[in-house]
Amino acid sequence: MPARKHRAGAELAEWEARKQRRVKQMDLARERAKRLSGHTLVRPIEAAAMLGITPKTLRELEADGKLPPRVTFSPKVFGWRLSDIEALIEARMGHSAKEVAIDG
């Protein structure tokens, strides 16, 4: 059962405020890490949106070897380098309009 279900009134409000502070701290830490590393990882839903395709099509392209290699941290946490996805888009822009549909 979620922790918030055990709280009510002022205790719940305090818990939610602490949670919001932690979320903000994590967001700041992520932004700092991105700036320091120079690598931004794009999660699958974001990569699909950048390419104008569905997540299913993204998985199919990966299975066919048409995507750059993914960066994996654990079985459920992975993504692609933003620079790799941008390079893929740039490479495809040189082709004719018919071939721009990445799955073609």
Side-chain angles (χ1 to χ4, degrees), residues 45-57:
I45 193 97
E46 298 164 330
M50 287 178 70
L51 296 169
I53 58 177
T54 64
K56 180 183 176 193
T57 304

Side-chain angles (χ1 to χ4, degrees), residues 13-29:
E14 181 182 326
W15 179 84
E16 288 175 341
R18 281 195 319 268
K19 182 179 176 184
Q20 280 294 5
R21 285 194 300 272
R22 285 192 302 271
V23 168
K24 285 182 183 178
Q25 287 173 338
M26 289 302 295
D27 288 343
L28 287 172

Side-chain angles (χ1 to χ4, degrees), residues 30-93:
R30 281 188 200 101
E31 287 302 315
R32 273 188 247 132
K34 286 178 187 177
R35 277 186 267 129
L36 292 173
S37 70
H39 297 287
T40 300
L41 290 184
V42 179
R43 300 299 302 262
I45 193 97
E46 298 164 330
M50 287 178 70
L51 296 169
I53 58 177
T54 64
K56 180 183 176 193
T57 304
L58 184 79
R59 289 190 301 272
E60 292 169 353
L61 289 174
E62 184 179 24
D64 292 342
K66 295 180 180 178
L67 286 180
R70 67 164 67 171
V71 176
T72 304
F73 292 101
S74 73
K76 293 185 178 182
V77 179
F78 64 91
W80 291 267
R81 287 181 187 87
L82 177 61
S83 58
D84 290 345
I85 297 296
E86 289 174 339
L88 176 66
I89 293 169
E90 286 293 320
R92 298 300 292 191
M93 288 180 76

Side-chain angles (χ1 to χ4, degrees), residues 3-15:
R4 70 177 182 272
K5 297 228 180 206
H6 300 288
R7 295 175 170 81
E11 186 182 9
L12 177 61
E14 181 182 326
W15 179 84

